[in-house]
């Protein structure tokens, strides 16, 4: 029976799971669950994930939620997944777990103060050395994919705000690009929904600025003559 992936591509961890499946040639069916419509809160979806969060998978009768657990399962259960993603070496595997555990509490894209501190730690610790990826690796792991998908949520910000947050962290920017290149064309295809959301928000901001500018213009005096 084909693997089912319940996901909303606007969700960072959903994108990580979908990209992983595509990159590794895992045959799956994407079941779209729209968070904006509250579809993750339905009784039907609760049968898949009682926590009512995305992503979730169903592999036959086996159901699983939490993106890190899903990525680990996929890396172990499906043949042909390269060792780089979740190495058999217990020491390397444990290091990946340390990054994933850190991710849960230190990289929320919506909390600016925590995010800024975490970007500095990413650059000074997790990306130290000459490696192109986390932990000094020369190939991406599930940790790279998970964290980069978290950070790409920043694309929806105004360009000025995004530059303010990411601009000081050149090493982080290069790592994001390295991960993108290593997983393309799937990375760009899965993130298309974010790019479209960015375009919509830019249009809305321009429209709002235009309307605000128009309302601030002095109204012409009307002659009573």
């Amino acid at each position: 029976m084909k693997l089912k992936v319940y996901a909303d591509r606007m969700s960072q961890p959903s994108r990580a799971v979908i990209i992983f499946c595509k990159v590794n040639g895992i045959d799956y069916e994407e079941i779209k669950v729209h968070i904006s419509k509250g579809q993750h809160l339905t009784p039907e979806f609760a049968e898949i994930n009682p926590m009512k969060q995305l992503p979730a998978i169903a592999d036959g009768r086996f159901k699983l939620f939490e993106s890190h657990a899903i990525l680990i399962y996929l890396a172990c259960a499906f043949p042909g997944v390269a060792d780089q993603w979740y190495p058999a070496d217990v020491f390397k595997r444990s290091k990946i777990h340390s990054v994933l555990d850190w991710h849960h509490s230190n990289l929320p894209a919506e909390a600016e103060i925590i995010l800024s501190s975490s970007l500095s730690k990413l650059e000074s610790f997790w990306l130290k050395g000459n490696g192109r990826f986390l932990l000094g690796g020369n190939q991406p792991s599930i940790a790279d994919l998970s964290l980069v998908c978290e950070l790409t949520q920043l694309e929806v910000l105004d360009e000025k705000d995004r530059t303010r947050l990411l601009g000081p962290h050149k090493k982080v920017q290069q790592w994001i690009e390295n991960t993108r290149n290593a997983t393309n064309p799937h990375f760009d295809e899965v993130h298309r929904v974010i790019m479209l959301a960015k375009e919509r928000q830019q249009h809305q901001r321009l429209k709002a600025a235009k309307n605000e500018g128009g309302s601030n213009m002095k109204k012409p005096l009307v002659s009573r003559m």
Side-chain angles (χ1 to χ4, degrees):
M1 188 176 293
K2 184 183 290 189
L3 172 75
K4 293 183 179 180
V5 177
Y6 296 81
D8 182 337
R9 294 191 181 193
M10 283 299 296
S11 150
Q12 304 94 305
S14 290
R15 294 196 298 273
V17 170
I18 294 171
I19 292 169
F20 184 85
C21 288
K22 287 178 174 290
V23 169
N24 289 285
I26 296 173
D27 190 22
Y28 74 99
E29 177 185 359
E30 182 178 348
I31 310 295
K32 295 182 179 180
V33 181
H34 296 285
I35 294 174
S36 62
K37 298 179 181 179
Q39 294 176 350
H40 60 303
L41 303 175
T42 63
E44 292 79 12
F45 183 68
E47 294 180 7
I48 303 299
N49 180 4
M51 301 296 109
K52 299 181 179 180
Q53 295 176 330
L54 294 170
I57 64 169
D59 190 14
R61 297 175 63 182
F62 177 69
K63 298 170 185 175
L64 187 64
F65 52 91
E66 291 294 335
S67 64
H68 293 168
I70 291 170
L71 289 168
I72 291 168
Y73 172 76
L74 295 176
C76 295
F78 287 83
V81 174
D83 185 71
Q84 71 186 60
W85 292 105
Y86 190 59
D89 182 287
V90 68
F91 298 109
K92 293 180 180 179
R93 184 172 285 192
S94 297
K95 288 287 189 179
I96 287 175
H97 277 273
S98 69
V99 179
L100 294 175
D101 288 349
W102 178 83
H103 173 203
H104 266 310
S105 56
N106 290 279
L107 206 59
E110 66 277 6
E112 184 173 333
I113 295 176
I114 298 175
L115 176 61
S116 295
S117 174
S118 297
L119 288 170
S120 296
K121 290 176 182 175
L122 260 174
E123 196 150 77
S124 63
F125 184 74
W126 297 116
L127 288 169
K128 65 183 178 182
N130 298 321
R132 298 168 60 237
F133 299 98
L134 296 173
L135 302 169
N138 290 314
Q139 293 177 309
S141 72
I142 59 173
D144 292 278
L145 187 56
S146 184
L147 271 66
V148 166
C149 284
E150 181 78 46
L151 290 175
T152 53
Q153 203 74 4
L154 297 176
E155 289 289 343
V156 299
L157 295 177
D158 181 89
E159 194 62 31
K160 180 174 64 177
D161 292 329
R162 184 178 178 277
T163 300
R164 175 171 54 81
L165 289 168
L166 281 179
H169 305 285
K170 303 301 182 186
K171 202 167 185 178
V172 170
Q173 292 181 62
Q174 185 58 58
W175 161 66
I176 292 173
E177 189 64 18
N178 290 342
T179 303
R180 172 177 174 259
N181 290 337
T183 55
N184 257 340
H186 309 296
F187 188 95
D188 285 352
E189 187 267 316
V190 174
H191 279 86
R192 177 167 170 73
V193 65
I194 290 292
M195 297 300 107
L196 291 174
K198 180 178 183 176
E199 290 176 8
R200 286 195 299 270
Q201 293 209 16
Q202 286 177 335
H203 178 72
Q204 290 170 0
R205 282 191 287 265
L206 288 172
K207 186 176 180 181
K210 185 177 180 180
N211 290 338
E212 184 178 343
S215 64
N216 290 334
M217 291 177 63
K218 290 184 178 179
K219 295 181 179 180
L221 296 174
V222 179
S223 173
R224 294 183 179 181
M225 292 179 64

